[in-house]
Amino acid sequence: ALCIRTTYAQLCTARALTSQAAITMAKAGYLSVFRYVHGTQLDKHIPMPCGLVFVVAVSGVSACKTGNALEKYNRLADASHAVKVERARHESEFVVPLASLAFSSSNLQMLRAAIGISQRHAESNLMTTVPETEWLQRKALELGAIAASVFGAGFGGAVYAITRADDAETLCTTWGGAYGQAFPVASRASEFFITRPSECMTFLDGAE
């Protein structure tokens, strides 16, 4: 999992580097904060609070960016550029530091608030969520998750929930079952699983 810190002047470049940063610099058991100023820089590793895990819900909705949907996607992307810049600034200067502090201090109330702000920005400002991911985020909280948010490029994708390890199996099963009833078509391609921050990419023997 990543807390992404970027400068809004380099938004597009930075957003394209988040997966690569995680793949090459992640640390097992830690959340990583990166800066994207004159290249990618690791800011710090924050220990995942003891007893907490992620439950991930892959919605089964593929981001459609071809044909008529491509025109809509590009129109929204152009119209929301200024909003994206402002959101990146707000995330960088307020949300990421708040979430980092919450993780570092195991302040669950603060963590829920910080991630909730990010979720609301995705829905109301970026407008890249879809009904399935919005439902998944709200349902996770209803089922007792500490915090939850969409993630990925938008127009489909996935939602993560943070919960206590003792509650993870129940949340995973109940969340997935409820999603199947609410969205029977999308759920056919959905996946729900429990995970923790993992190690970065490693080479197999003889593969270097």
Side-chain angles (χ1 to χ4, degrees):
L2 284 174
C3 290
I4 303 302
R5 188 168 191 173
T6 177
T7 59
Y8 47 90
Q10 298 173 307
L11 174 64
C12 295
T13 301
R15 295 295 288 183
L17 295 174
T18 58
S19 296
Q20 291 90 329
I23 289 169
T24 57
M25 291 185 278
K27 183 177 180 180
Y30 290 78
L31 297 112
S32 303
V33 181
F34 297 96
R35 293 178 184 270
Y36 299 95
V37 183
H38 307 300
T40 303
Q41 303 169 30
L42 174 64
D43 190 19
K44 57 186 171 182
H45 290 303
I46 303 170
M48 182 73 173
C50 183
L52 297 186
V53 297
F54 290 95
V55 179
V56 175
V58 180
S59 69
V61 178
S62 298
C64 185
K65 299 172 185 176
T66 59
N68 292 335
L70 177 61
E71 180 181 352
K72 177 182 178 182
Y73 175 78
N74 289 335
R75 186 169 61 250
L76 180 56
D78 291 340
S80 63
H81 178 72
V83 173
K84 287 181 179 180
V85 169
E86 175 57 25
R87 187 201 174 200
R89 184 193 66 79
H90 188 262
E91 291 262 344
S92 176
E93 297 178 2
F94 178 71
V95 178
V96 169
L98 185 64
S100 298
L101 177 60
F103 275 116
S104 299
S105 60
S106 297
N107 187 323
L108 304 186
Q109 185 175 359
M110 183 188 298
L111 182 62
R112 185 183 181 101
I115 292 175
I117 292 169
S118 188
Q119 171 70 24
R120 289 192 293 275
H121 275 303
E123 291 185 13
S124 61
N125 294 339
L126 294 184
M127 296 180 288
T128 55
T129 57
V130 294
E132 290 84 351
T133 55
E134 291 179 8
W135 185 94
L136 281 166
Q137 189 269 343
R138 290 176 173 79
K139 191 65 176 180
L141 297 179
E142 180 185 316
L143 292 172
I146 294 164
S149 177
V150 298
F151 69 100
F155 300 98
V159 172
Y160 71 84
I162 300 171
T163 189
R164 293 174 177 82
D166 291 344
D167 301 328
E169 288 286 355
T170 299
L171 175 61
C172 193
T173 301
T174 307
W175 199 16
Y179 185 62
Q181 293 182 344
F183 295 93
V185 176
S187 67
R188 294 173 190 166
S190 67
E191 184 179 359
F192 292 74
F193 59 92
I194 301 165
T195 188
R196 295 171 175 80
S198 60
E199 194 60 81
C200 65
M201 173 185 67
T202 56
F203 287 101
L204 298 175
D205 291 342
E208 294 187 58

